[in-house]
Amino acid sequence: MADNTFALTGATVLPITGEAVPNGTVVVEDGVITAVGGSDTSIPSGTPTHDVNGKYVTPGLVDAHTHLGVHEEAAGTQGSDVNELTDPNTADVRALDAIFPADIGFDDARSGGVLTVGIMPGSGNIVGGQAVAVNTHGRTVEEMLLREPTGVKSALGENPKRVYGGKDKKPSTRLGNAAMLRSAFVEAGNYLAKIENAEDENTVERDLRNEIIGKVLKRELPWRQHSHRADDIATAIRVSEEFGYRLVIDHGTEGYLIADLLAEKNIPVANGPLLTSRSKMELRNRTLRGPGLLHQAGVEVSIITDHPVIPINQLITQVILSIKAGLDRDYALRTVTINPAAMMGIDDKVGSLESGKHGTLCVWSGDPLDIYSEVERAFIKGTEVDTSGA
């Protein structure tokens, strides 16, 4: 029988999209979940069965915004490939091409139950590049890959102002940020129109930047907008409505100040990192109450680490502290499972325990929302992976 076929029995199973199942059973065959249910769930003959009585089983945690593998830990500038700071618009760069699978951060991720991550280019440019979703174990990116691209990273606020203003180039103000953002969409729209109007679209010279932004304009990919302050979030909304693309707010530090607006417009927020100091002006209103206030207003919330800003194994710690600060406990695990999976378009594969999804899951020593609980075992596509950490 295949190594990625097994059954777990006796645990409290938290499917995320359904009710908790005490004394539950999860069956994985050839890396895919085939059954989730109670103690009477049928297990195919010959399936290796692990009694995990007293434990908890959850889907692997998902962090939709990290720089794992592109901003390596303990590697200095040699290991930093996160920001291509040579042009305000680098839509053509792909995080996929810079991921170092042996980054020790991947070991830490698994130790904290984080089995799936979104890896983003950095936030120094107005258009930073293309994000990717991967599992946190593999020798090559191709072994880890779940979806590419999952969206296009863009930044508003202080970062592009600082980077290019310091070079006496545009943008150096929020005026310039917004103008360059609009210009990127106008240019991509013109490119799409040229293709549409050409007798033979193959005669139009390819433009990798405009191709990918064109996919955003066609709503094939979300626009992942780095924005902290409420005014930058409002600008992001304004521009998205001018051009009609799908918007996701990343960070959203002051999103709770306009949570009703975000909810009204059905804009999800990848909120965090939540444990940083208020190291710059944009973070002065950072609060652990943010996720709870956003959720109370009706916003779909994910919690992120922005690793290595916050060590990725502390993702669940941020969730626990957010509960303490007011986040609904029954909703909390959704912020690090199905919500970020949906944000990246991989919720058909991960983010919940359902038949047909990948056997990517964790066995916890106790309730995962108890600070004392640890990840004892983890499986990615049904194959057990090391959780001992770096």
Side-chain angles (χ1 to χ4, degrees):
M1 188 163 291
D3 291 341
N4 57 355
T5 294
F6 62 91
L8 302 174
T9 61
T12 298
V13 177
L14 304 178
I16 304 301
T17 52
E19 295 297 318
V21 183
N23 194 21
T25 299
V26 179
V27 181
V28 176
E29 298 181 60
D30 293 326
V32 175
I33 297 171
T34 57
V36 178
S39 57
D40 58 348
T41 299
S42 177
I43 300 173
S45 177
T47 300
T49 300
H50 309 286
D51 182 3
V52 287
N53 183 49
K55 313 297 183 183
Y56 279 68
V57 176
T58 70
L61 304 187
V62 182
D63 188 337
H65 185 128
T66 78
H67 305 292
L68 269 171
V70 297
H71 193 172
E72 301 165 39
E73 293 193 79
T77 57
Q78 291 83 3
S80 180
D81 293 300
V82 67
N83 268 307
E84 180 60 48
L85 297 178
T86 53
D87 193 299
N89 182 351
T90 54
D92 52 328
V93 305
R94 306 188 305 169
L96 176 81
D97 295 321
I99 295 171
F100 180 52
D103 180 4
I104 57 177
F106 288 111
D107 299 327
D108 287 337
R110 296 191 304 275
S111 74
V114 185
L115 305 186
T116 303
V117 292
I119 299 177
M120 316 274 281
S123 54
N125 295 337
I126 294 297
V127 187
Q130 301 164 48
V132 59
V134 301
N135 291 317
T136 55
H137 183 266
R139 297 169 302 165
T140 67
V141 173
E142 283 71 23
E143 288 183 2
M144 305 161 74
L145 185 62
L146 283 170
R147 185 183 180 196
E148 196 276 330
T150 57
V152 180
K153 173 73 176 291
S154 172
L156 290 173
E158 291 182 23
N159 289 8
K161 282 178 55 180
R162 181 184 67 251
V163 170
Y164 291 96
K167 300 176 182 179
D168 292 326
K169 293 182 178 180
K170 184 180 178 180
S172 64
T173 64
R174 282 181 165 80
L175 305 174
N177 285 350
M180 295 202 79
L181 185 59
R182 288 187 176 93
S183 293
F185 283 110
V186 168
E187 185 178 331
N190 291 341
Y191 177 74
L192 293 180
K194 185 183 295 185
I195 291 174
E196 185 178 346
N197 294 328
E199 291 186 12
D200 179 356
E201 66 178 48
N202 294 317
T203 63
V204 178
E205 185 176 351
R206 290 188 65 188
D207 185 311
L208 295 178
R209 294 184 183 185
N210 287 325
E211 279 185 14
I212 194 67
I213 298 177
K215 290 181 182 293
V216 174
L217 286 174
K218 292 188 288 187
R219 300 180 64 84
E220 295 174 9
L221 292 172
W223 192 251
R224 300 288 299 274
Q225 188 69 71
H226 164 115
S227 44
H228 287 283
R229 276 188 4 186
D231 58 338
D232 290 322
I233 296 170
T235 296
I237 295 171
R238 184 182 315 119
V239 178
S240 73
E241 292 185 338
E242 289 174 21
F243 291 93
Y245 54 84
R246 290 191 290 134
L247 177 65
V248 173
I249 295 298
D250 278 77
H251 302 308
T253 300
E254 292 186 355
Y256 65 90
L257 297 176
I258 53 172
D260 56 335
L261 180 62
L262 289 162
E264 174 193 334
K265 296 181 181 297
N266 197 30
I267 298 172
V269 176
N271 195 209
L274 300 171
L275 295 181
T276 59
S277 65
R278 297 179 178 89
S279 57
K280 56 183 180 178
M281 180 268 291
E282 290 180 328
L283 302 180
R284 61 186 174 186
N285 289 320
R286 179 200 52 72
T287 173
L288 281 161
R289 295 185 298 115
L293 293 171
L294 287 165
H295 171 58
Q296 289 169 24
V299 178
E300 183 180 285
V301 184
S302 299
I303 290 176
I304 62 172
T305 61
D306 199 17
H307 177 94
V309 177
I310 298 298
I312 192 164
N313 55 325
Q314 298 304 318
L315 178 63
I316 194 66
T317 304
Q318 291 191 127
V319 176
I320 293 168
L321 292 177
S322 294
I323 295 170
K324 183 178 179 181
L327 178 63
D328 180 11
R329 196 179 195 281
D330 291 336
Y331 180 82
L333 280 177
R334 295 183 67 94
T335 68
V336 288
T337 53
I338 195 65
N339 288 1
M343 188 175 287
M344 295 188 288
I346 54 172
D347 50 320
D348 60 331
K349 299 178 177 69
V350 297
S352 62
L353 300 178
E354 300 178 69
S355 293
K357 290 195 175 184
H358 293 178
T360 298
L361 51 88
C362 295
V363 179
W364 300 75
S365 61
D367 184 344
L369 297 177
D370 182 336
I371 196 68
Y372 292 104
S373 295
E374 297 179 335
V375 177
E376 294 188 342
R377 302 179 74 177
F379 302 81
I380 293 177
K381 294 182 181 178
T383 297
E384 189 158 12
V385 295
D386 178 41
T387 60
S388 59

